[in-house]
Amino acid sequence: MNPSLIFQCNSELLEGPVFDHKENLLYFVSILDCLVFCYNPSTKEILSVKLDSPVSCVFLLDRKRIMVASKSGFFEVDFNTLQKKFSFQIDIANSVRYNDGIKDPKGRFIIGTMGYPEVKNNIGKVFSYSEGKYKVIIKDTTISNGLAFSQDGLSLYFIDTPTKKVAKYAYDTETGDVSFESYVIEFNREGSPDGMCMDNKGMLWIAEWGGGCVSRWNPENGRKLDERQLPCLNVTSCCIDNYLNLYITTAKSSDKDDIYGGGLFYVELN
């Protein structure tokens, strides 16, 4: 079956898949269950660590060690020992939580926020954190979602989901500053762009919340190139593995017959 269901734990909101290409491991989170997972595709082993507040995204550190963003701060999680320890916090309002994040080419943590427990317009921001210092690089967002760097690291692509667009920012790798250039992709159907990743050809794979699919786009001309359907409506994010295939996270919908939402899927592209 393609897509194939890899993992299902009755989660309301799976998110944030990140593939460690060196160690051949997949990390992802169940936001509202406060859980972060480590999946070994070779052995099929899945490990989990529970934090004390909603978790949103993962940053790779080294072998089976990651940094996890939770509402109450950033925690270092060691899947060798299943231990966690507090690392740092950014000064965010009580009315928001972290959402998608990514490392920049210099190793900075780039991460966005959104309203929590209620989504509110324009109260989100995108932060850059490095060596104990942080700054806001994008402000007035509503649901800060997908982040992806161009292959040369000089462009940052960003999704604020309610805009139904992908924005392109010029990125200064020395300072970590951004400047808005243009909107490069626009969604005109029911689905809204959520998480995304870049493949080895420089094309963007974008998860469609409410669209039941992941779609592939050329950010240079805004053209849609491909689409892969999922057996559930709310598709949250995706990442590429060592075989250039996709791991995809999903979320439950209001449809009582939605038995696949909240599952982790694998789609073979090659």
Side-chain angles (χ1 to χ4, degrees), residues 85-154:
K85 65 178 181 180
F86 177 80
S87 183
F88 66 92
Q89 174 64 303
I90 293 173
D91 185 19
I92 61 171
N94 288 333
S95 57
V96 302
R97 66 165 175 84
Y98 298 111
N99 209 33
D100 274 6
I102 192 173
K103 267 189 179 181
D104 86 346
K106 298 284 189 178
R108 301 179 184 94
F109 296 159
I110 312 298
I111 190 164
T113 59
M114 60 178 284
Y116 178 82
E118 295 180 12
V119 175
K120 296 181 180 179
N121 291 337
N122 305 319
I123 67 168
K125 299 180 176 72
V126 178
F127 293 89
S128 172
Y129 174 92
S130 179
E131 298 178 346
K133 298 179 180 178
Y134 64 88
K135 61 185 177 183
V136 176
I137 58 172
I138 302 172
K139 55 186 181 178
D140 300 327
T141 63
T142 298
I143 304 178
S144 295
N145 254 317
L147 292 155
F149 280 98
S150 60
Q151 291 174 317
D152 62 9
L154 299 179

Side-chain angles (χ1 to χ4, degrees), residues 43 45 49 82 101 104 117 134 137 147 179 186 207 234:
T43 65
E45 177 186 61
V49 171
L82 299 182
D104 86 346
Y134 64 88
I137 58 172
L147 292 155
S179 58
E186 184 167 2
N234 292 331

Side-chain angles (χ1 to χ4, degrees), residues 35-270:
L35 287 168
V36 57
F37 297 94
C38 175
Y39 170 62
N40 185 327
S42 301
T43 65
K44 312 303 181 189
E45 177 186 61
I46 296 183
L47 302 172
S48 67
V49 171
K50 189 175 181 68
L51 279 74
D52 62 1
S53 66
V55 296
S56 70
C57 68
V58 166
F59 303 94
L60 301 178
L61 297 178
D62 53 35
R63 187 180 186 278
K64 297 186 86 169
R65 287 179 56 252
I66 58 173
M67 189 71 74
V68 182
S70 77
K71 186 170 179 359
S72 56
F74 289 70
F75 286 78
E76 188 178 308
V77 174
D78 188 339
F79 276 100
N80 298 288
T81 61
L82 299 182
Q83 298 298 306
K84 64 194 176 191
K85 65 178 181 180
F86 177 80
S87 183
F88 66 92
Q89 174 64 303
I90 293 173
D91 185 19
I92 61 171
N94 288 333
S95 57
V96 302
R97 66 165 175 84
Y98 298 111
N99 209 33
D100 274 6
I102 192 173
K103 267 189 179 181
D104 86 346
K106 298 284 189 178
R108 301 179 184 94
F109 296 159
I110 312 298
I111 190 164
T113 59
M114 60 178 284
Y116 178 82
E118 295 180 12
V119 175
K120 296 181 180 179
N121 291 337
N122 305 319
I123 67 168
K125 299 180 176 72
V126 178
F127 293 89
S128 172
Y129 174 92
S130 179
E131 298 178 346
K133 298 179 180 178
Y134 64 88
K135 61 185 177 183
V136 176
I137 58 172
I138 302 172
K139 55 186 181 178
D140 300 327
T141 63
T142 298
I143 304 178
S144 295
N145 254 317
L147 292 155
F149 280 98
S150 60
Q151 291 174 317
D152 62 9
L154 299 179
S155 297
L156 174 63
Y157 298 100
F158 170 65
I159 292 169
D160 183 6
T161 291
T163 68
K164 301 193 75 163
K165 297 175 183 178
V166 179
K168 179 181 180 182
Y169 291 81
Y171 193 79
D172 187 324
T173 55
E174 294 306 313
T175 65
D177 293 329
V178 305
S179 58
F180 177 78
E181 288 192 346
S182 63
Y183 289 108
V184 293
I185 297 167
E186 184 167 2
F187 285 72
N188 297 310
R189 302 182 306 170
E190 288 185 12
S192 297
D194 197 323
M196 67 177 165
C197 66
M198 179 166 283
D199 66 19
N200 65 328
K201 304 292 186 184
M203 302 296 108
L204 293 172
W205 282 96
I206 302 175
E208 296 194 28
W209 180 276
C213 70
V214 291
S215 48
R216 185 176 187 243
W217 300 76
N218 185 336
E220 295 301 316
N221 57 26
R223 290 179 183 166
K224 182 177 173 181
L225 306 172
D226 196 358
E227 178 182 297
R228 301 300 171 101
Q229 293 289 324
L230 277 294
C232 50
L233 190 64
N234 292 331
V235 185
T236 59
S237 194
C238 55
C239 68
I240 302 280
D241 73 354
N242 283 334
Y243 299 101
L244 305 181
N245 296 322
L246 282 173
Y247 282 100
I248 302 166
T249 51
T250 66
K252 289 189 181 300
S253 69
S254 57
D255 183 354
K256 67 180 186 302
D257 296 322
D258 179 9
I259 62 172
Y260 291 108
L264 171 72
F265 291 86
Y266 189 64
V267 170
E268 295 185 9
L269 302 175
N270 300 290

